[in-house]
Amino acid sequence: MSQNTNQEKNTVSYTDFNNPAGQTTIQGIRGVAGSENVYIAGSLLSENNLVQGLIYEGTLKANGKGKWHVVNFPSTPASTVVNTSCYGPNNGPNGTVQIVGSYKISASAGKAPSGNLGFYYEGSVDGSGTWVQVSPNGGNTNNVFVHSVMGDLAVGNYDVENDKNGYAFLYNILNKECTEFKVPNSLTTTLYGIWHNGGDSYTMAGGYTSPELGKISQAFLVDYNSKTKETSNLKSFSYKNETALSIITHFEGITVSKDNGYNMPSDWITLNGEKNGASFVSVNRNSDRSFGEANWTDIDFPDSSVTSANTVYRNNILGIYVVENNSDSKTVSSFVAKVSIEKKVVM
């Protein structure tokens, strides 16, 4: 006697999503509280190769036709800001927006730190609010990138001069303190996404390398208690759940899903660097609150040579894709990929 079973097959639809003013790189997204709109953070490359910060407010259905704002870390008489890149947006108090990211200072402004500096912003979407420099490791850094913010915490990474190891940190936006974070026994750790579950509970996403796996880099999820600063339920992930298939797997962000779990954007490189790509990843909780196995849906923008998954909102992946032109030039564009789950009954 045969039995009917349900099977799920994920399908993906793609849409361009760019600021009409120039090359757009989308790097973060969050739903606007009490609205169907979203905040999207990113960067704009102008004709003179100047990188400026972007914040978008509108719907995903508008194909980028909401309102875009150019926002830049403010220069001072002592330091000229030459580059601003916005990563994670979030809902701030009293209808404000929070943004984190990085910026650069011109070397001609005196003894400027090398590389990127991190920032936290809170205020109106026009950039007229309060900008704060984020300085982990006592300011002894070569590059700082603040990737995501939610609740009272932001997460990011930094490097140190002449040190190839990557370091991760949490930034408390209330007391402006940085806390170091490291996956146990890891060589490098990155934190790209944070989700506030409520109260003192957070879930974070990123990647790490370890002595045991050599060049293999894995993604991870971990729970974090902001009061005790303790972690729990750490779980590693590799592309398609098979470590041998990938040398790099990384979660680029995190959002909550409807099914007692989380959705993540992931970038990966297969063994020997034969193929690189992007995926939509969903992970549910087990009954004991640990993380279950990952479900993978590949994201591949049609007719592109490279697709990168940079951020996630509900079942939407946002990122960039690259098209190789006949003139040996490349076109970089941003996109939204909507992942739909189709259930089929098999007899």
Side-chain angles (χ1 to χ4, degrees):
M1 181 178 178
S2 62
Q3 184 177 2
N4 295 348
T5 59
N6 290 326
Q7 291 184 352
E8 292 185 352
K9 180 181 178 181
N10 291 0
T11 59
V12 186
S13 58
Y14 299 90
T15 305
D16 281 289
F17 202 97
N18 293 283
N19 184 341
Q23 180 178 309
T24 307
T25 301
I26 291 176
Q27 295 169 151
I29 186 172
R30 190 83 76 198
V32 178
S35 169
E36 285 299 312
N37 286 349
V38 295
Y39 292 125
I40 294 176
S43 60
L44 174 68
L45 180 63
S46 61
E47 293 181 356
N48 59 357
N49 289 324
L50 178 67
V51 178
Q52 295 182 292
L54 281 178
I55 185 73
Y56 167 91
E57 184 176 4
T59 69
L60 283 177
K61 298 178 182 178
N63 190 23
K65 296 179 181 178
K67 191 164 185 181
W68 294 90
H69 302 268
V70 175
V71 294
N72 292 302
F73 197 97
S75 296
T76 68
S79 61
T80 300
V81 175
V82 295
N83 179 322
T84 301
S85 188
C86 299
Y87 287 86
N90 189 50
N91 295 279
N94 304 315
T96 60
V97 64
Q98 299 169 325
I99 311 171
V100 292
S102 67
Y103 69 101
K104 288 184 177 180
I105 297 174
S106 171
S108 62
K111 189 178 178 181
S114 60
N116 293 273
L117 302 170
F119 76 79
Y120 167 78
Y121 169 84
E122 185 176 302
S124 169
V125 291
D126 64 5
S128 61
T130 301
W131 297 80
V132 178
Q133 181 182 341
V134 176
S135 300
N137 198 37
N140 180 24
T141 59
N142 184 42
N143 282 298
V144 180
F145 298 92
V146 191
H147 292 292
S148 181
V149 59
M150 196 173 189
D152 296 332
L153 298 177
V155 296
N157 285 91
Y158 69 90
D159 298 320
V160 177
E161 195 78 37
N162 299 321
D163 188 345
K164 296 182 180 180
N165 292 330
Y167 299 90
F169 68 94
L170 295 94
Y171 173 73
N172 188 307
I173 65 175
L174 299 180
N175 60 26
K176 298 180 174 60
E177 291 182 354
C178 292
T179 301
E180 299 292 312
F181 174 81
K182 181 181 179 181
V183 171
N185 302 316
S186 65
L187 292 173
T188 64
T189 302
T190 58
L191 278 175
Y192 271 49
I194 187 167
W195 185 266
H196 185 209
N197 300 308
D200 301 321
S201 174
Y202 293 81
T203 299
M204 304 187 299
Y208 72 98
T209 61
S210 65
E212 291 79 11
L213 295 177
K215 294 182 179 180
I216 299 293
S217 173
Q218 292 186 294
F220 71 86
L221 293 176
V222 66
D223 290 327
Y224 180 78
N225 185 294
S226 60
K227 184 176 182 180
T228 64
K229 296 186 178 181
E230 294 179 345
T231 60
S232 59
N233 298 321
L234 173 67
K235 184 176 176 67
S236 303
F237 299 87
S238 287
Y239 176 56
K240 298 293 187 181
N241 303 326
E242 296 179 295
T243 302
L245 290 183
S246 62
I247 57 173
I248 294 178
T249 307
H250 193 272
F251 288 160
E252 305 289 309
I254 185 171
T255 188
V256 73
S257 69
K258 295 181 179 179
D259 302 319
N260 190 35
Y262 303 89
N263 297 331
M264 281 72 59
S266 176
D267 285 338
W268 44 263
I269 301 177
T270 56
L271 192 64
N272 298 324
E274 295 173 352
K275 184 179 180 182
N276 62 286
S279 295
F280 170 86
V281 187
S282 59
V283 175
N284 288 336
R285 295 270 191 179
N286 296 318
S287 58
D288 63 357
R289 299 295 296 165
S290 64
F291 298 108
E293 287 298 312
N295 294 309
W296 299 78
T297 301
D298 286 348
I299 304 297
D300 190 5
F301 198 94
D303 302 320
S304 66
S305 59
V306 176
T307 302
S308 176
N310 292 348
T311 188
V312 61
Y313 173 68
R314 296 178 179 172
N315 62 328
N316 299 281
I317 291 288
L318 291 81
I320 62 170
Y321 69 94
V322 179
V323 175
E324 304 282 349
N325 301 320
N326 294 331
S327 59
D328 294 330
S329 63
K330 298 179 180 179
T331 301
V332 180
S333 299
S334 285
F335 71 88
V336 176
K338 184 176 182 179
V339 180
S340 301
I341 298 176
E342 296 179 353
K343 292 186 177 182
K344 295 183 178 180
V345 178
V346 180
M347 303 299 291

